[in-house]
Amino acid sequence: MNSKKSKYFSFSKSYIGHNEDSCFACKNWGFVIDGATGLSGEHYTHYHSDAQWLAKKVSKYLKKYLSENNSIKDIVKNCIVFTTKQYDNVVKGRKIYDRPSCCLSLFRVENDKISLFNIGDCTILIKYINGNIEKIKNKDLCKIDKNSHEAVIKYKKEHDTTYLQAKKSVKTVFLKNRMLKNTPEGYYIFCDDVSAVEHAILKTIDKNDVDKIIIVSDGFSQYFDTFKFCDYQSFFDLLKSKNDAKQLYNHLLESQLLDNECENFNRFKVSDDASLIYWENNI
């Protein structure tokens, strides 16, 4: 008989005050949602942004339906249909240039298995009982970001300006790349197209092989993939509680603010919304 209970928690913080992320963890499932900040200036909901509206709507839907027996793919597809209809009701027939979208990563315990789902650029880290660590992350959005980064660097060199100022000057590149969402030439993400789900990473693993799972939005993954404060193993070692998550975030934020033109550590915002969930197996 198991005497140890599953340990889980979630953490989400936004430096700018209005958080476009959402996350949640419980005994048998958890998710991280990273709303994509609007680039076209369109804003129709009563939330601070339509990206925030979408993140909250998806979060509420998943909390309601992830405990049911439907497959994860079907739940996510149904969620896309639901949120698309809800947004259409809000915009009332207006032509939308850039519909709100979000990255979504989640796990769910299904008897003796754990299913994992990933669309967008959130990162799933799995630590196995044998000590090995696996990373799950879609690469298509990373390729688009690399394209945007190269445009920023080119402008920066030609105009002898800072990285962040250059980014603001080539904003049309970012909008053009955003229009490639859910196309073969671009990337796949949660938006209004259920077929995008077919391009998500869906993986099933044996529950008894798993020690811990961490899911982070790209705002929090900067701790190890941009600022490189630690490797994946050390990240697991440092993260034991919600208070640990807060301390890691504060460390990251302090370093981001010291590099407020994104010169030393190139990124598209001084500080992005940062979210994570942590889940520890009870075996």
Side-chain angles (χ1 to χ4, degrees):
M1 181 171 64
N2 290 330
S3 59
K4 181 181 175 184
K5 294 182 179 179
S6 294
K7 180 180 178 182
Y8 50 84
F9 58 84
S10 61
F11 175 89
S12 189
K13 193 76 173 177
S14 174
Y15 170 66
I16 59 175
H18 56 274
N19 199 339
E20 294 178 339
D21 284 3
S22 187
C23 61
F24 182 80
C26 63
K27 180 181 178 181
N28 291 319
W29 47 266
F31 58 78
V32 171
I33 301 163
D34 182 358
T37 301
L39 300 178
S40 65
E42 294 167 302
H43 184 195
Y44 298 102
T45 67
H46 65 279
Y47 284 71
H48 191 276
S49 69
D50 290 358
Q52 185 186 61
W53 173 91
L54 181 63
K56 300 304 181 186
K57 288 291 183 181
V58 174
S59 177
K60 185 177 180 180
Y61 188 95
L62 294 178
K63 288 177 183 178
K64 182 176 181 180
Y65 290 104
L66 272 177
S67 58
E68 297 191 353
N69 292 327
N70 287 346
S71 71
I72 287 175
K73 284 178 65 173
D74 285 344
I75 291 171
V76 176
K77 285 181 178 181
N78 291 339
C79 186
I80 290 174
V81 172
F82 173 79
T83 53
T84 299
K85 183 177 180 180
Q86 291 279 303
Y87 192 67
D88 286 342
N89 289 339
V90 171
V91 300
K92 302 183 185 302
R94 298 182 183 93
K95 184 178 180 180
I96 306 302
Y97 187 69
D98 180 22
R99 297 184 73 97
S101 58
C102 65
C103 304
L104 170 62
S105 295
L106 64 87
F107 81 92
R108 184 173 69 172
V109 177
E110 299 172 350
N111 298 316
D112 60 346
K113 302 289 185 181
I114 297 177
S115 289
L116 303 125
F117 176 94
N118 185 292
I119 191 166
D121 63 357
C122 295
T123 301
I124 301 175
L125 297 175
I126 308 161
K127 184 177 181 182
Y128 290 95
I129 297 295
N130 63 12
N132 291 338
I133 294 175
E134 179 181 6
K135 180 181 81 168
I136 297 176
K137 184 173 183 176
N138 267 329
K139 296 181 179 179
D140 51 5
L141 186 49
C142 296
K143 292 178 182 178
I144 293 295
D145 284 345
K146 183 175 183 293
N147 174 272
S148 299
H149 167 71
E150 289 171 351
V152 174
I153 291 296
K154 183 174 184 291
Y155 187 95
K156 171 180 162 59
K157 290 179 178 178
E158 291 174 350
H159 295 83
D160 190 25
T161 187
T162 66
Y163 187 88
L164 202 56
Q165 286 300 319
K167 183 257 180 180
K168 294 174 182 176
S169 298
V170 297
K171 59 184 179 181
T172 55
V173 172
F174 286 82
L175 186 55
K176 180 181 178 181
N177 287 338
R178 176 66 60 85
M179 294 303 100
L180 296 176
K181 66 176 177 279
N182 293 337
T183 68
E185 298 78 21
Y187 63 98
Y188 292 93
I189 198 166
F190 184 110
C191 189
D192 62 337
D193 184 0
V194 295
S195 66
V197 175
E198 301 302 327
H199 298 273
I201 296 173
L202 187 61
K203 183 181 179 73
T204 301
I205 54 181
D206 290 331
K207 181 175 183 284
N208 289 339
D209 291 339
V210 177
D211 182 17
K212 303 170 184 176
I213 295 173
I214 295 173
I215 304 179
V216 292
S217 66
D218 65 342
F220 215 127
S221 69
Q222 286 185 15
Y223 194 91
F224 49 76
D225 64 21
T226 302
F227 286 80
K228 301 186 186 303
F229 292 133
C230 67
D231 57 17
Y232 302 142
Q233 178 62 62
S234 298
F235 195 68
F236 274 100
D237 293 341
L238 291 167
L239 188 62
K240 305 292 184 182
S241 67
K242 194 167 186 175
N243 187 57
D244 290 339
K246 182 179 179 180
Q247 291 183 17
L248 294 175
Y249 170 77
N250 287 340
H251 180 202
L252 175 61
L253 179 60
E254 180 182 8
S255 301
Q256 290 170 332
L257 295 180
L258 288 172
D259 183 37
N260 61 5
E261 282 294 336
C262 306
E263 282 288 274
N264 298 319
F265 301 93
N266 296 157
R267 57 207 190 277
F268 299 143
K269 298 178 182 179
V270 175
S271 178
D272 199 1
D273 301 337
S275 301
L276 69 75
I277 62 169
Y278 172 100
W279 180 86
E280 189 173 322
N281 207 350
N282 65 351
I283 59 175

